[in-house]
Amino acid sequence: MRMGLSSAATENECVELCIFDLRRGQHEGQELDKILFFFPAGLPFSKQLSVVGLSEGLITFTRIFSPEAACEVIEAERHSHIFYEAEPDIWMVMVVEKSNDSEPIWRDDALRKVLKEIHSLFVMFHGTIRALLEKEPGGGLIRRHLYSFVMDYLRACKKRPPWNNCCCGNGEVAVSNDFIWIYYLVGKKLLLPSFRDCLKEQGTVQMLTIGREAAIEVQSLVRVLESSAGNMPCYSLILFQDLLVSTTLSPDDTINLFTYAVLRLTPQALSVGVSSWSYLRKGNTASSVAIESNIAIPSSASESFYGSSEVSPTEDSQYHVVRPLQSEKWSKGKDGYLVTDLWGAEVGTWVFATPTVWLRQTGERMYLCAYQHRNLTLLLLIPVASIANGEQGVSAVKQQVLEQASLKILKVEEKLSKGWGGENAYHVSGYRYLLVDGDRNVSRATPPTKVATLTKESLLAMNKLRKEVELEKSRAKLDNVDCEKDMEVCIRAKNNAWVISRITRGRELYMVLEKANETLLYATDAVEKFSNKYCDGTFSLD
């Protein structure tokens, strides 16, 4: 549900992010108990309570008009309030200050997907927020976990590019795509995703296109990996570079593991200081919007309440807190397996504990074993319950995989490398595009370096078009209308570029054509040619 307010609802902080539980803090004097996370943590508790109280009031108010559909966005005069009900009665809210530009510079849907991804990754590593609250009702355990995890997430895609002296100040530089990176910079600025990121889609995976022979070899490798685990049910995920090759996981679990792999496990992620071309992580400071922020440095009171993110890799002074998103904590061992000390060591030994994750589809806790050969990264997930003797059992499975699958791994990597077209493999001359398959959660887009050649006017027009399409899809969902109905929108930008969207049967195509003074007929014909050649005619009008 989306609504508008006639006046600004908060004071002049640029971005605030909070997580709170409506079931807590219901009695006078206990209101602070409902806040599980707040950014910036250094704001006075009175301010934090004001933001959470307003958010709670808006949620309650909108339920009067739409009891079945949760509130998603509230548009005030100077702020946008983005809502996401992560779990029953557990809400994540982002409040962002609007720019003074006549055209919108970001999309509410992209910001909401950030909240969804934070929660999905958190649950994959730590389990649900509600489960942690039930484990320790006082709230200290979940606050430590959330504060460390979210702050690590907000730093997760930092990189040190050659433009260290950019306008953002002498601090960490955020990389913007459809993500929003909000964290402390020396210059006290925040980076928000901008209109320059409108040809990217978060919450999807990017797949490698392979030929028939390579596909047969990949399937053969998958079978060998499964048989290597014996009678234990296991799952696998295979990536080449930063692109997905194969998965036996559910769509949701695939997205979570793919996202983590690109951030921390692929060869590009392990190469500190090496620029990655990845669609997920590639970006530059010009594609972000830097804005001043009244960031308050965490006080001792807030650190005591939420816990500091600047603690040891595995635990703080009171609670054991695994921090899987910390940077530069993974490395490649001599046997090809990736190792980390983030999960600590097995009790009574100096052996690093194998990472574990929770699968969303089955609810199982799985060992995460990552193996890498050149540009090929394999993730093998084995049920914890199936391993009787802990790390010794995991080590035995890993050795068995090496013995049975090594030759297959070498062969697959060689075939994929030969067929790899490089960073610009999916660039189509004359087109700047984004393809989204919502049913498969897959996207493909023009490489960011090529998108960067578009003019500001073209990108602003595409950003506006996507906002309109997302609004129409939201309305159709509320009205219980078939959300997969066909839709086409064409906009002529101020610079005469054509900005086009076509949606059909769960698939979406967004395209910018910067051919000045061309007609709508020309633009339509260009889309038809693209659809017939690269999309099997999916978006053709015939």
Side-chain angles (χ1 to χ4, degrees):
M1 180 177 181
R2 297 167 181 254
M3 295 186 66
L5 299 177
S6 59
S7 61
T10 65
E11 296 176 10
N12 192 33
E13 273 82 26
C14 291
V15 177
E16 292 154 339
L17 174 60
C18 57
I19 303 173
F20 56 91
D21 181 6
L22 292 180
R23 300 179 188 177
R24 300 170 65 90
Q26 295 301 311
H27 301 290
E28 186 175 355
Q30 299 179 355
E31 293 84 359
L32 193 61
D33 192 42
K34 72 178 58 179
I35 304 178
L36 306 179
F37 172 85
F38 197 97
F39 175 88
L43 286 183
F45 286 138
S46 59
K47 173 59 180 175
Q48 297 183 31
L49 287 171
S50 176
V51 173
V52 171
L54 174 62
S55 299
E56 184 176 1
L58 291 173
I59 292 168
T60 303
F61 177 71
T62 54
R63 277 178 171 169
I64 297 174
F65 303 95
S66 181
E68 301 301 325
C71 178
E72 294 182 352
V73 178
I74 297 290
E75 297 288 355
E77 183 179 347
R78 292 186 295 164
H79 295 79
S80 293
H81 302 249
I82 317 298
F83 296 83
Y84 175 58
E85 188 173 16
E87 300 174 25
D89 291 327
I90 293 178
W91 286 81
M92 304 176 71
V93 179
M94 184 185 298
V95 183
V96 293
E97 186 177 5
K98 293 182 177 179
S99 71
N100 296 323
D101 297 341
S102 58
E103 297 286 354
I105 61 172
W106 62 75
R107 294 179 292 113
D108 298 334
D109 187 65
L111 302 188
R112 193 166 185 271
K113 286 180 179 178
V114 173
L115 301 180
K116 183 176 180 180
E117 179 166 274
I118 290 174
H119 178 258
S120 294
L121 291 177
F122 181 87
V123 171
M124 180 176 73
F125 289 113
H126 299 300
T128 65
I129 295 175
R130 183 64 66 194
L132 287 173
L133 280 171
E134 291 174 352
K135 183 177 180 179
E136 200 274 289
L141 179 65
I142 186 60
R143 290 190 184 97
R144 293 296 196 278
H145 276 79
L146 281 174
Y147 188 76
S148 295
F149 186 86
V150 177
M151 296 309 295
D152 285 342
Y153 173 91
L154 298 178
R155 298 185 182 99
C157 278
K158 75 177 183 179
K159 72 179 180 183
R160 303 183 187 279
W163 47 83
N164 282 331
N165 295 323
C166 71
C167 62
C168 298
N170 299 318
E172 296 170 347
V173 179
V175 178
S176 168
N177 42 21
D178 244 350
F179 294 2
I180 173 173
W181 304 121
I182 316 168
Y183 53 84
Y184 296 109
L185 299 175
V186 172
K188 292 188 178 180
K189 292 187 177 182
L190 302 177
L191 294 177
L192 298 181
S194 76
F195 55 88
R196 299 185 187 279
D197 306 304
C198 57
L199 290 179
K200 297 174 184 176
E201 184 70 7
Q202 190 178 345
T204 59
V205 300
Q206 291 75 53
M207 296 199 68
L208 178 71
T209 300
I210 58 178
R212 183 174 180 274
E213 289 187 7
I216 292 174
E217 292 294 340
V218 169
Q219 288 303 313
S220 177
L221 172 58
V222 170
R223 288 193 293 270
V224 171
L225 290 175
E226 291 176 347
S227 64
S228 298
N231 296 324
M232 293 180 290
C234 66
Y235 302 91
S236 66
L237 194 84
I238 302 175
L239 295 92
F240 181 81
Q241 299 276 6
D242 284 354
L243 298 174
L244 180 67
V245 176
S246 170
T247 179
T248 60
L249 291 161
S250 70
D252 288 335
D253 290 319
T254 295
I255 290 173
N256 288 339
L257 266 300
F258 174 82
T259 301
Y260 185 65
V262 171
L263 291 177
R264 290 289 174 254
L265 305 179
T266 62
Q268 289 79 10
L270 293 179
S271 301
V272 179
V274 175
S275 175
S276 168
W277 55 267
S278 167
Y279 291 114
L280 186 63
R281 293 186 287 117
K282 179 79 174 185
N284 56 57
T285 54
S287 70
S288 307
V289 176
I291 53 178
E292 296 290 344
S293 173
N294 294 327
I295 295 179
I297 303 300
S299 63
S300 58
S302 63
E303 286 191 353
S304 175
F305 188 65
Y306 296 114
S308 172
S309 64
E310 303 304 325
V311 293
S312 67
T314 56
E315 61 183 327
D316 63 16
S317 58
Q318 185 176 0
Y319 299 100
H320 181 77
V321 180
V322 174
R323 299 175 60 189
L325 294 183
Q326 275 197 311
S327 63
E328 303 176 23
K329 291 296 183 179
W330 284 87
S331 61
K332 185 177 177 180
K334 293 181 179 180
D335 59 358
Y337 282 100
L338 304 186
V339 295
T340 180
D341 63 352
L342 288 172
W343 274 258
E346 189 176 33
V347 177
T349 73
W350 291 101
V351 178
F352 290 150
T354 301
T356 57
V357 297
W358 294 91
L359 293 185
R360 180 171 178 177
Q361 184 180 45
T362 64
E364 291 179 282
R365 189 169 175 233
M366 312 289 286
Y367 284 116
L368 172 62
C369 302
Y371 179 86
Q372 197 167 95
H373 173 64
R374 294 182 179 174
N375 293 313
L376 197 69
T377 304
L378 289 77
L379 304 185
L380 187 66
L381 293 102
I382 309 165
V384 172
S386 300
I387 304 293
N389 49 351
E391 293 301 322
Q392 185 177 351
V394 174
S395 180
V397 172
K398 290 164 69 174
Q399 182 60 35
Q400 197 166 335
V401 169
L402 282 181
E403 294 173 356
Q404 298 185 20
S406 290
L407 292 178
K408 287 287 185 183
I409 292 172
L410 293 174
K411 194 171 184 180
V412 167
E413 200 282 334
E414 182 180 3
K415 276 192 173 293
L416 296 182
S417 293
K418 285 183 178 179
W420 171 233
E423 176 178 343
N424 293 323
Y426 301 124
H427 172 58
V428 180
S429 181
Y431 294 89
R432 301 295 184 268
Y433 69 92
L434 168 66
L435 281 167
V436 181
D437 187 337
D439 294 333
R440 298 169 58 221
N441 296 318
V442 172
S443 68
R444 175 169 294 168
T446 296
T449 53
K450 299 297 183 180
V451 174
T453 65
L454 292 173
T455 65
K456 178 180 179 180
E457 290 79 8
S458 297
L459 292 168
L460 282 170
M462 173 54 76
N463 195 59
K464 182 178 181 180
L465 180 146
R466 292 205 65 184
K467 284 178 67 73
E468 291 297 325
V469 169
E470 288 158 0
L471 182 59
E472 185 62 31
K473 288 164 62 178
S474 179
R475 286 170 177 164
K477 184 178 179 181
L478 286 174
D479 295 336
N480 293 319
V481 177
D482 184 7
C483 293
E484 294 188 357
K485 68 178 182 178
D486 293 351
M487 183 190 311
E488 180 177 17
V489 182
C490 299
I491 296 178
R492 194 69 182 266
K494 294 178 181 179
N495 62 338
N496 288 326
W498 285 103
V499 180
I500 301 166
S501 169
R502 285 190 184 179
I503 300 178
T504 180
R505 299 187 294 276
R507 297 185 179 183
E508 304 175 24
L509 170 63
Y510 300 95
M511 185 175 292
V512 178
L513 299 171
E514 284 194 333
K515 291 287 186 178
N517 300 320
E518 297 290 357
T519 64
L520 179 59
L521 181 62
Y522 168 87
T524 301
D525 184 57
V527 175
E528 291 288 316
K529 290 179 180 178
F530 183 92
S531 174
N532 291 331
K533 187 172 183 178
Y534 300 103
C535 309
D536 297 324
T538 299
F539 301 99
S540 299
L541 297 177
D542 296 337

